[in-house]
Amino acid sequence: MQKVERQKHKDRKRRRLTGVILCALLLVICVAIGLLLRDKAEKTASEANVKYEAQTGNIFLHEESELKSLTLIQQGKDPWTVETDAEGKLHLLHEETGEPSSWTVDENIAELLMSVATNLTYDDIFAEKRSEWEVALDAFGLKEPLVTAVFSFHDGTDVTVHVGKSADPENNRYYYMSVDGDEHLYAVSAGIMDDLSTEQTLLHPVPRLEIQSALLDRISVKNADGSIRKEWSLQGDVKDRDAAENWQLTAPFTYPADYNSIVNLKENAGNLRLGVFIEEANEETLKLYGFEEPSAILEFHTAAGSTGTVGMSGVFDVSDWEEHLYTLTVGGSKSEMSSYVLYEGCIYSVSDFTMSAFLNVEPTSTVARYVVTIPLTSLESAVVEKQGQETVSYVLEPVEDAGNGEEVTEQTYRCLKNGEEIPYETFEAAWDRLLTVTVSGKLSQEYEPGNVHTKYTFRTVSGRTHILELSELDQMHDLVTLDGASRFYLIKNGMTDLP
């Protein structure tokens, strides 16, 4: 039998070769287009002796009142739509019902969205005809765009744009953009890309806590049942001259607070910021984000008063504040560095670091280790009573005039010891030494004060009285009782003398 020769498919080889050539040509075209903008931008006047001017322009230009809605479809995320109301404010449309939210979009975010939605610009044109680039959508990231935006206007017109990948991978200054119904392939700036990449969670306005540290008079950390875990309270009024020194730890026990610790707590309270909006609070979301059993409740109470700041123009601006109680309920953890908090009916994220100043601080570490905590500027009088010795009284009086008829330009004082004047500088030096005396240790258990052998009674310029008592603890130490609270001991004869 004669052998049958297999048919040779010359046409198949030819088609394969043609396909390879076409793919290579497409690749060359894509690379050339991708490098066009960078090449033009990098061409300097010294090289070409001519400054290159990109083909910039507007895709559209409208008044803000003409915008009806903006829809953003971001890769890998749920699409969302904002719609304008009669006053031109933006509202997020509910995903299921299509109803506008009761709240308006955050002012700063709304400004960015309105700007791009009424004045969309391009920075250059890569191609004039759709046929030149549509065959290679993948090369420009336009087959699956990073962002698709639909702009709708009250005149019935819609504009849909698609933003692909970076046209400038090294610096990400420009991105490929196409417009439905338009032949061109555009370059759009990274700034516009950022605006169109706005996350939905940023739309909801986040209130500023505005806790005025100067007006704080109580800081509380409570358990889920409302019982107080730890608390610091101002003893007096925020307007008192010595208000900063009159704080007490009032829970879990009572003792005068350390000045620097209170300054840190107040500063941290003033710096508290809410993170991003998560959800409005309801039965379902409260359960979802861990509020069935809150881990803690933070309360910051501020008194009514005024605060002042110097503005950029150098003018001292005064703001008046009403009494206010700020309550932050801490729920579950959002991540390793943030948690969910409930504030005024909404759930937000808050940095754990900012809350740690209150949640993690040990109350004992915030109490005063100094035996005397009253600065000289806050002292009005001091009385020292020792067993078997004469009671000594010191009174500080402001000097009204210099004695020669001249007006006093700097406030000075005189010191009276049992009614007789002694050099003020002598008392000042002795008081400074007394302020350096610190306790020798912390009591391991509660002790009731015994026979008091030394008693100091201090009266401040705000009219408050503080009492320091020393009683024998053992042969080497005295029990320190400050304003009725005994937490520490002092080595015997550890107090320095007043003149």
Side-chain angles (χ1 to χ4, degrees), residues 68-90:
K68 180 181 179 182
S69 66
L70 165 62
T71 299
L72 288 181
I73 305 168
Q74 299 160 338
Q75 193 177 88
K77 300 177 182 178
D78 294 330
W80 50 268
T81 300
V82 289
E83 186 178 76
T84 57
D85 60 16
E87 298 178 353
K89 301 292 186 181
L90 293 179

Side-chain angles (χ1 to χ4, degrees), residues 80 207 239 288 333 346 425:
W80 50 268
K239 300 182 182 67
L288 178 64
S333 294
C346 290
E425 293 75 16

Side-chain angles (χ1 to χ4, degrees), residues 102-252:
S102 58
W103 47 269
T104 58
V105 173
D106 177 84
E107 288 185 4
N108 294 326
I109 299 299
E111 184 177 350
L112 295 176
L113 294 177
M114 288 294 287
S115 176
V116 72
T118 56
N119 183 19
L120 182 61
T121 61
Y122 62 87
D123 283 62
D124 210 338
I125 297 176
F126 289 120
E128 298 283 348
K129 295 182 179 181
R130 184 171 287 268
S131 58
E132 296 174 352
W133 56 270
E134 196 169 35
V135 291
L137 290 178
D138 253 350
F140 310 113
L142 293 172
K143 187 175 182 179
E144 295 182 2
L146 295 177
V147 178
T148 293
V150 182
F151 306 91
S152 298
F153 300 93
H154 287 296
D155 62 5
T157 60
D158 291 337
V159 179
T160 301
V161 303
H162 309 278
V163 183
K165 64 184 183 182
S166 174
D168 178 31
E170 291 184 3
N171 301 300
N172 292 326
R173 294 172 297 180
Y174 307 102
Y175 289 79
Y176 296 110
M177 181 179 72
S178 66
V179 182
D180 285 2
D182 191 318
E183 291 284 314
H184 301 85
L185 177 64
Y186 294 102
V188 67
S189 71
I192 291 179
M193 178 59 175
D194 289 342
D195 293 344
L196 295 178
S197 300
T198 299
E199 296 184 14
Q200 181 180 338
T201 54
L202 299 178
L203 301 180
H204 195 287
V206 177
R208 292 186 60 186
L209 294 177
E210 293 187 318
I211 301 174
Q212 302 301 310
S213 57
L215 301 179
L216 269 170
D217 59 9
R218 189 175 74 249
I219 300 173
S220 308
V221 180
K222 296 184 176 181
N223 299 310
D225 61 2
S227 58
I228 298 177
R229 188 184 305 175
K230 41 194 169 185
E231 184 175 75
W232 299 264
S233 301
L234 172 64
Q235 307 302 299
D237 193 280
V238 293
K239 300 182 182 67
D240 291 342
R241 280 174 50 188
D242 57 347
E245 291 86 30
N246 281 337
W247 279 76
Q248 276 192 344
L249 173 71
T250 51

Side-chain angles (χ1 to χ4, degrees), residues 235-296:
Q235 307 302 299
D237 193 280
V238 293
K239 300 182 182 67
D240 291 342
R241 280 174 50 188
D242 57 347
E245 291 86 30
N246 281 337
W247 279 76
Q248 276 192 344
L249 173 71
T250 51
F253 57 87
T254 300
Y255 200 83
D258 174 66
Y259 172 82
N260 290 325
S261 295
I262 293 301
V263 169
N264 289 334
L265 285 173
K266 291 168 67 175
E267 286 182 354
N268 283 306
N271 291 330
L272 270 177
R273 298 291 184 270
L274 298 175
V276 298
F277 168 79
I278 304 298
E279 296 265 11
E280 292 185 354
N282 55 49
E283 185 176 350
E284 181 182 350
T285 56
L286 288 175
K287 182 178 180 181
L288 178 64
Y289 295 108
F291 291 98
E292 286 189 318
E293 294 184 7
S295 59

